[in-house]
Amino acid sequence: MGMNAKPSESPAAPSAGLQVGDFLRTEASQHREAFESLIQGLEEPFSQTLAIWEASIRRGGKLLLFGNGGSAGDAQHIAAEFVIRYHSDRPAIAAISLTTDSSTLTAGSNDLGFEHIFSRQIEALGRPGDVAIGISTSGRSRNVLNGLREARNRQLHTTGLIGGDGGEMRACCDSAIIVPSTVTARIQEMHIFVGHLLCKALETRLGLVG
């Protein structure tokens, strides 16, 4: 065997604690349950949220999205779909994720406190008639709540993507879409599904989809 040759390695033995087939079935079942629970009550809050977003954009407003962790990723994802495109080429839709500017986020956390990183940006960027869109799997994230409250103080509309029972956030939103699950991963999966639905529906309502 040459100096640089490596002995053949046997595949690692399967862990006794994980049966892949059972694992996949359990995860898929949780996903399916979250989806079915969401769909049953989705039409009314979806219609309300869509109407708020559409009215703002038609009047020259913008969408301001924010959340923490995976919800921050969803805020960026949904904002990108609006600014660039979701379904087909069309004029841009004004949307900003408040989770992407590292200098603003770190300065805000250091100087004002992490609980104010979104409310401060709402103060700077929000105008009456814009829409603040909070995303939280628990509905209890302090900085998201503060962002929505600041938005209301400044006469912005407020909507939310939430999980569980909606938490405190429910009362801070003019319209909220709530995923009735306590499993964070399943809530996040439903949030991006709903985000995609809202993107396509808004493009269609605005007459931007051929």
Side-chain angles (χ1 to χ4, degrees):
M1 183 179 293
M3 293 180 62
N4 295 322
K6 295 182 179 179
S8 60
E9 297 179 0
S10 300
S15 169
L18 176 66
Q19 298 300 318
V20 173
D22 291 343
F23 168 77
L24 293 175
R25 281 187 288 274
T26 297
E27 295 297 297
S29 177
Q30 282 186 357
H31 179 92
R32 190 178 302 111
E33 288 173 11
F35 174 81
E36 294 296 342
S37 297
L38 169 68
I39 289 296
Q40 288 176 14
L42 183 59
E43 184 174 353
E44 183 177 352
F46 184 92
S47 297
Q48 292 171 347
T49 298
L50 178 60
I52 291 169
W53 292 14
E54 179 188 2
S56 176
I57 295 299
R58 285 190 182 279
R59 293 172 183 149
K62 58 186 175 292
L63 311 178
L64 302 170
L65 302 97
F66 49 98
N68 297 290
S71 298
D74 287 343
Q76 295 174 226
H77 184 150
I78 296 168
E81 303 282 18
F82 283 129
V83 171
I84 306 304
R85 70 171 192 171
Y86 173 69
H87 182 264
S88 58
D89 289 334
R90 41 79 176 161
I93 296 172
I96 302 172
S97 170
L98 305 185
T99 65
T100 59
D101 186 333
S102 59
S103 295
T104 294
L105 293 171
T106 54
S109 297
N110 188 62
D111 297 346
L112 304 175
F114 189 69
E115 67 272 23
H116 298 299
I117 58 172
F118 300 134
S119 57
R120 185 65 165 184
Q121 293 184 77
I122 294 288
E123 180 183 349
L125 301 173
R127 298 293 180 268
D130 289 347
V131 185
I133 304 165
I135 307 175
S136 171
T137 58
S138 69
R140 294 171 175 81
S141 300
R142 188 59 47 196
N143 54 7
V144 175
L145 292 170
N146 287 340
L148 292 169
R149 288 166 180 152
E150 182 66 24
R152 280 194 161 172
N153 289 339
R154 294 182 174 276
Q155 300 179 339
L156 279 72
H157 302 291
T158 57
T159 66
L161 296 176
I162 324 177
D165 61 4
E168 295 177 61
M169 190 171 154
R170 187 173 194 162
C172 296
C173 295
D174 301 328
S175 177
I177 295 172
I178 301 172
V179 180
S181 172
T182 58
V183 182
T184 299
R186 304 294 86 87
I187 297 168
Q188 290 173 329
E189 289 158 9
M190 295 304 106
H191 279 176
I192 200 59
F193 168 66
V194 170
H196 281 163
L197 293 180
L198 285 164
C199 287
K200 187 170 184 179
L202 185 58
E203 286 184 345
T204 303
R205 279 279 186 89
L206 295 172
L208 302 177
V209 178

